[in-house]
Amino acid sequence: MQITIDTSEPLTAADKAFLSSLLGVTTTTIVTEPKPTPTPAKPKPAPEPTPEPEPEPEPEPEEDLIGGEPTVQDAVDAATALVNAGQQAKVKAALKSIGGDRVSNIPQSKVAAFIAALEG
């Protein structure tokens, strides 16, 4: 035999007396809590995606549109024109005057002096 007692309401004195006479023991109150029904967990809102920082644009190489300082390529072009015209000695003398061994190895700081030596 199984007796189920609804514990949502407190037992009256008469109920306690009946149970004690039925069981032949003194009244003992055992309180058991009903298992809580699990409440469905609220889904967490998805975190907002952090915007990726825009990549910084790579600096474009500056072009000399106005025609400022001569470049190493300008020196190579001038020397090539003189060598093709048979004036290798002039190119060698200009290289010697700036302390260079090859036109393509001239540092940018000495290009103007090399071209001036070629023209002079």
Side-chain angles (χ1 to χ4, degrees):
M1 173 201 260
Q2 179 178 353
I3 299 175
T4 306
I5 301 173
D6 183 13
T7 59
S8 63
E9 297 177 16
L11 294 175
T12 63
D15 293 336
K16 290 180 185 179
F18 173 74
L19 286 174
S20 64
S21 67
L22 181 67
L23 297 174
V25 291
T26 58
T27 308
T28 312
T29 305
I30 300 174
V31 177
T32 57
E33 295 291 323
K35 291 183 180 178
T37 57
T39 57
K42 293 182 181 177
K44 292 183 179 179
E48 294 183 24
T50 56
E52 294 182 21
E54 294 182 21
E56 294 184 22
E58 294 182 21
E60 296 180 16
E62 294 184 24
E63 294 183 33
D64 189 10
L65 300 176
I66 300 175
E69 271 186 41
T71 64
V72 175
Q73 186 59 46
D74 294 335
V76 170
D77 293 342
T80 303
L82 287 175
V83 169
N84 289 339
Q87 298 180 359
Q88 296 91 343
K90 201 172 194 180
V91 174
K92 287 182 182 183
L95 277 172
K96 189 174 183 181
S97 70
I98 62 163
D101 59 342
R102 298 185 77 173
V103 178
S104 59
N105 293 340
I106 297 174
Q108 182 64 38
S109 60
K110 295 185 178 183
V111 170
F114 174 76
I115 292 176
L118 284 179
E119 293 171 352

